[in-house]
Amino acid sequence: MIKKIDVTQHTLAKEIYRVFQVSYRIEADILKAENFPPLQRTVLDLQESPTAFYGFYKAGQMAAVIEVKEEKDNTHIQSLVVDPDYFRQGIGKRLMDFVMEQNTNAIYTVETGVDNEPACSLYKSLGFIEVQQWDTSFGVRKIRFKKGSNKKTPV
């Protein structure tokens, strides 16, 4: 089940934090990142974030979280994390599909580390294309994907 999370509730923010920590530790290992900014976010950072959070629940447990930033013509996926206990069950894809069904923007964007093959494969399988790569100040080469275009389809 997917539902919007009220991140202002401390217990829910703590659960998001838990999923972020276990998932991002694995991503940091994949990317060989020693100083990985997503792992530095606090519960308070999450609670004060202007983004929307949606959780995927399985047997009453928060199995995954997607964080979405909606702008005028763009929906940006800020974070997509899956608890390692739930890897390889299609949950990340289901959350991405959910967001793209809920948000009617013409453009969707998402970023990850170039070496994060599971994430890159997921985004490519959903029709995202690479639009940019760059090196970060924390030693990770990142990649930005985009789906859609600035051109709106005439009605």
Side-chain angles (χ1 to χ4, degrees):
M1 171 196 332
I2 298 172
K3 64 181 180 180
K4 189 168 186 177
I5 302 169
D6 179 358
V7 76
T8 64
Q9 291 187 23
H10 189 71
T11 55
L12 292 174
K14 280 176 50 177
E15 188 61 13
I16 292 170
Y17 176 82
R18 182 198 66 77
V19 177
F20 270 41
Q21 289 294 303
V22 296
S23 180
Y24 277 132
R25 276 193 197 107
I26 291 173
E27 184 174 1
D29 288 346
I30 290 169
L31 300 175
K32 298 173 182 63
E34 292 179 24
N35 179 23
F36 197 50
L39 286 171
Q40 297 168 10
R41 289 177 82 184
T42 66
V43 172
L44 184 59
D45 291 335
L46 297 171
Q47 288 184 286
E48 292 178 345
S49 176
T51 55
F53 292 84
Y54 297 90
F56 186 98
Y57 291 83
K58 195 163 185 178
Q61 294 291 103
M62 187 182 291
V65 178
I66 192 165
E67 179 182 7
V68 180
K69 180 180 181 184
E70 272 213 75
E71 297 172 336
K72 185 179 177 217
D73 294 321
N74 182 58
T75 297
H76 181 69
I77 309 304
Q78 280 300 114
S79 301
L80 174 61
V81 292
V82 179
D83 183 312
D85 290 341
Y86 298 95
F87 278 2
R88 306 247 182 251
Q89 296 181 27
I91 294 171
K93 180 183 182 317
R94 289 174 66 185
L95 279 168
M96 289 292 293
D97 287 341
F98 173 82
V99 166
M100 290 187 290
E101 289 168 7
Q102 300 298 308
N103 299 286
T104 58
N105 285 333
I107 302 170
Y108 300 90
T109 55
V110 65
E111 300 168 3
T112 191
V114 168
D115 293 331
N116 187 347
E117 187 53 41
C120 291
S121 293
L122 170 65
Y123 304 136
K124 289 175 185 176
S125 76
L126 292 169
F128 283 76
I129 57 167
E130 177 184 337
V131 293
Q132 182 182 10
Q133 286 191 23
W134 70 99
D135 293 315
T136 65
S137 62
F138 52 93
V140 171
R141 183 140 183 95
K142 289 196 69 176
I143 185 170
R144 182 178 186 92
F145 291 97
K146 176 180 167 183
K147 182 174 181 170
S149 71
N150 292 329
K151 297 178 183 177
K152 305 259 180 175
T153 307
V155 180

